[in-house]
Amino acid sequence: KAVRSARLLWLHRLAMTRSLIVMPTANALGYYKNTSEEGHTDPNRDFPFMQNAEKCMQTLTARALNELFRDHLFQIAITFHGGMQAIAYEWGSPNHQGKGKDVSPDDTAQAKIAGAMASYGGKGDYSSNRKYPARPMNSLVYPVNGGMEDWAYAATWDDLKKTVTPCKANGYPSDRTVYENKGMLRILNILVETSDNKRPKESDLGAPIGVFLPGATDHAGN
């Protein structure tokens, strides 16, 4: 009973002291069609950070996230993907590529948060039962143009003349990609690649109790 009570108190505190906003299927069309693209555009490359003005905000996915992030001063965000195992953080863009160049101004904080997430997540059945590796995106995954993570982190301050150009998208005002408030986008935006297998078996997905089990290695808590 004591353990159960502690778990419920943790959940109660989380619910009462945080604003949690969940977008379960940001790319609804892509999900429906079982593809990463919305129409013919990948939303993961559709943000105004190191991206051509004619190639950003083409998707409803990116526009919805843009409006959400403009209206809320988020401190931390997590994007869930599949295809490998990783807990990655900024930098993840070509302008910060190279040895020692992917270290962001908030690297210490991001590394500690990602490391704690890796410890809490424990070891899964994939990749030799190791913890999720936690490092900057450029070294752990790969750099991209128009990525959501670096856009949400630095589109209001990182060398703006070179990195952020207002989008020219049909039906979407370009001024919605002008971020005059210097604090609007300063989010620790963490990319979680959940599994090597993009379609894990239902039995591999664990159970709700796993949320309460730090470092769970049993099958039910995976």
Side-chain angles (χ1 to χ4, degrees), residues 144-161:
V144 301
N145 292 310
M148 173 192 171
E149 288 79 16
D150 287 78
W151 161 80
Y153 174 61
T156 56
W157 58 269
D158 180 48
D159 198 3
L160 299 184
K161 291 183 179 179

Side-chain angles (χ1 to χ4, degrees), residues 8 13 38-39 43 45 52 55 75 77 84 93 99-100 110 116 121 130 149 168 182 190 192:
L8 290 175
R13 182 178 184 276
E38 179 188 304
R45 310 288 185 270
N52 188 294
K55 293 184 178 180
Q75 292 178 305
M84 62 180 295
S93 56
K99 187 176 181 180
Q110 296 193 85
R130 59 165 167 72
E149 288 79 16
K168 298 178 181 178
K182 296 298 182 182
I190 295 175
V192 176

